[in-house]
Amino acid sequence: MTAPSHSHADLPAPEAADHVHSPESRKAILNRLARLEGHIRGIKNMVIEERPCPDVLIQIAAVRGALDRVARLILDEHLTQCVARAAEQGRIETEIAELKAALDRFLG
Amino acid sequence: MTAPSHSHADLPAPEAADHVHSPESRKAILNRLARLEGHIRGIKNMVIEERPCPDVLIQIAAVRGALDRVARLILDEHLTQCVARAAEQGRIETEIAELKAALDRFLG
Amino acid sequence: MTAPSHSHADLPAPEAADHVHSPESRKAILNRLARLEGHIRGIKNMVIEERPCPDVLIQIAAVRGALDRVARLILDEHLTQCVARAAEQGRIETEIAELKAALDRFLG
Amino acid sequence: MTAPSHSHADLPAPEAADHVHSPESRKAILNRLARLEGHIRGIKNMVIEERPCPDVLIQIAAVRGALDRVARLILDEHLTQCVARAAEQGRIETEIAELKAALDRFLG
């Protein structure tokens, strides 16, 4: 969540390093995505077994909710990094633009 | 999309047969779900490769859009079946309740 | 909610009569819309008084929720009328198309 | 939620009054809210005149879109202020928390 290693003012390619997730948060994000994949596989099976449409729809809504939560997790981390960089490196306008762009992506 | 086999007015367990998708539409739904699964697998790889957050978020938004479209496909088919059954079997209240329930599921 | 007067199969202009709300439900819908109007007026005052952004955002989210509920109310009534007409007049395809169109509108 | 500790009266920076919008942006926000109010009044008239449900639903969806845009405007301004304050005053954690709270409100 935090971005403790962002003091490398000499980095030639800041974009590469900027979005590094902490090992814990990357693991959490990957676990959630793996569960989502399994969830969708389960929905495929429901369709194959001709389960009632409302039952399928409720599972799709659950996947959508889980998807929004993992996106929010990623957005929150990004936001944390942007604010930290703005404070440490002073590139306020850049970070604000970066944050708005991420929001645009998130909101679709 | 249509439910051509719903003339069996004598069916003892309508729920069992009601939600049968036509082979074509079931195939279309399964294809879309399989693509979604692959899409999420791709997002996992993006996180592993530490791709920029906004790039990941845009892919998550794309999955959400695809998910909504497959849900809408299922809902439209269900709606078609409910209206057809209401017209053929006259169980208006039941079908209306069924449709509202499906909408509740879809809207989450 | 129900459409008790829809047995007039001879009506020359079905569209005009089809969407009549019952007096009670029209009153309920109008009351909700009037409350929404007042709610937005309240948000304008919050902005004039320079209230904190998160407080304003929570009120906007509340309006959005109320808006969705009134839309759902209208959609449910429409759905009820479509299913009833399909059963009474047998124009299944027309009613299905009508319902899908309403869903398209609702989902935006 | 609130920022009660922002009473540092010696601050020359406009950020001291944290949620003050610039006069132009406040005017833009108020104009949009006033238009929304008028839009809802128009929808009430549509219901009174018994206009078709799909026509009413499309207007409600338009209001929802306009509402999201005004919320996004407020959120963007808030985000700008949070990042600027983080850079100028260094209270990174506070500003991150503030931003996440605003997002929670916005996303409802």
Side-chain angles (χ1 to χ4, degrees):
Chain A
M1 219 46 151
T2 52
S5 58
H6 279 298
S7 49
H8 28 233
D10 51 348
L11 252 195
E15 282 72 35
D18 279 356
H19 298 285
V20 173
H21 297 285
S22 71
E24 301 78 37
S25 91
R26 188 168 60 221
K27 201 176 154 192
I29 291 167
L30 287 172
N31 278 347
R32 279 167 185 256
L33 288 169
R35 271 203 297 276
L36 270 170
E37 223 186 312
H39 206 151
I40 289 179
R41 209 156 31 234
I43 294 173
K44 277 198 318 193
N45 287 335
M46 291 177 78
V47 173
I48 291 170
E49 295 164 8
E50 307 200 338
R51 299 273 292 276
C53 291
D55 293 2
V56 176
L57 289 173
I58 210 168
Q59 292 307 320
I60 291 182
V63 166
R64 187 169 44 187
L67 203 57
D68 280 345
R69 281 188 296 277
V70 76
R72 182 64 202 274
L73 213 65
I74 293 171
L75 183 66
D76 277 358
E77 246 201 303
H78 188 59
L79 176 158
T80 303
Q81 295 172 355
C82 286
V83 174
R85 278 200 307 271
E88 291 167 13
Q89 306 175 9
R91 300 178 309 158
I92 298 179
E93 293 308 317
T94 311
E95 300 304 337
I96 288 169
E98 176 94 21
L99 258 179
K100 287 184 184 171
L103 258 180
D104 288 340
R105 304 297 180 279
F106 177 65
L107 300 171
Chain B
M1 216 51 149
T2 52
S5 59
H6 279 299
S7 50
H8 28 233
D10 51 348
L11 252 195
E15 282 71 36
D18 278 355
H19 298 285
V20 173
H21 296 285
S22 71
E24 303 77 38
S25 90
R26 188 169 59 221
K27 201 177 154 191
I29 290 167
L30 287 172
N31 279 346
R32 280 167 184 256
L33 288 169
R35 271 203 298 275
L36 270 171
E37 223 186 309
H39 206 152
I40 289 179
R41 208 156 32 232
I43 294 174
K44 276 197 319 192
N45 287 335
M46 291 178 77
V47 173
I48 290 170
E49 296 164 8
E50 308 200 338
R51 299 275 291 277
C53 291
D55 292 2
V56 177
L57 289 173
I58 210 168
Q59 292 307 321
I60 291 182
V63 166
R64 187 170 43 187
L67 202 57
D68 281 345
R69 282 189 294 278
V70 76
R72 182 63 201 276
L73 215 65
I74 294 172
L75 183 65
D76 277 358
E77 245 202 303
H78 187 59
L79 178 157
T80 302
Q81 295 171 355
C82 285
V83 174
R85 279 199 308 271
E88 291 167 13
Q89 306 174 10
R91 298 177 309 157
I92 298 178
E93 295 306 319
T94 310
E95 299 304 339
I96 288 170
E98 177 94 21
L99 257 180
K100 287 184 184 172
L103 258 182
D104 288 340
R105 301 299 179 278
F106 177 65
L107 300 172
Chain C
M1 218 47 151
T2 53
S5 58
H6 279 298
S7 49
H8 30 233
D10 51 346
L11 251 196
E15 282 72 35
D18 279 356
H19 297 285
V20 173
H21 297 284
S22 71
E24 301 78 37
S25 91
R26 188 168 60 220
K27 201 176 154 192
I29 290 168
L30 287 174
N31 279 345
R32 280 168 185 256
L33 288 170
R35 272 203 296 275
L36 271 170
E37 223 186 310
H39 206 152
I40 289 180
R41 210 157 30 233
I43 295 174
K44 277 197 319 191
N45 287 334
M46 291 178 78
V47 173
I48 290 170
E49 296 164 8
E50 308 200 336
R51 299 274 293 275
C53 291
D55 293 3
V56 176
L57 289 173
I58 210 168
Q59 292 307 319
I60 291 181
V63 166
R64 187 170 44 188
L67 203 57
D68 281 344
R69 282 189 294 279
V70 75
R72 181 63 202 275
L73 213 65
I74 293 171
L75 184 66
D76 277 359
E77 244 200 306
H78 187 60
L79 176 158
T80 302
Q81 294 172 356
C82 286
V83 174
R85 278 199 308 270
E88 291 166 15
Q89 307 175 8
R91 300 178 308 157
I92 298 180
E93 294 306 318
T94 310
E95 299 304 338
I96 288 169
E98 176 95 21
L99 257 180
K100 287 183 184 171
L103 258 181
D104 287 340
R105 302 299 180 275
F106 177 65
L107 299 172
Chain D
M1 190 75 120
T2 51
S5 58
H6 283 300
S7 52
H8 20 240
D10 51 342
L11 251 195
E15 285 72 36
D18 278 352
H19 297 286
V20 175
H21 297 284
S22 71
E24 301 77 39
S25 90
R26 187 168 60 221
K27 200 176 154 193
I29 290 167
L30 287 173
N31 278 347
R32 280 167 185 256
L33 288 169
R35 271 203 297 276
L36 272 170
E37 223 186 310
H39 207 152
I40 290 180
R41 207 153 35 231
I43 295 174
K44 277 196 320 191
N45 286 335
M46 291 178 77
V47 173
I48 290 170
E49 296 164 7
E50 308 200 338
R51 299 275 290 277
C53 290
D55 293 2
V56 176
L57 289 174
I58 210 168
Q59 292 308 320
I60 291 182
V63 166
R64 188 170 42 188
L67 203 57
D68 281 345
R69 281 189 295 279
V70 76
R72 182 62 202 276
L73 214 66
I74 293 171
L75 183 65
D76 277 359
E77 247 202 301
H78 187 58
L79 178 157
T80 302
Q81 295 171 355
C82 286
V83 174
R85 278 199 307 270
E88 291 166 13
Q89 307 175 7
R91 298 176 312 154
I92 299 178
E93 295 306 318
T94 310
E95 300 303 338
I96 289 169
E98 177 94 20
L99 258 180
K100 288 184 183 170
L103 259 181
D104 287 340
R105 300 301 178 276
F106 177 66
L107 300 171

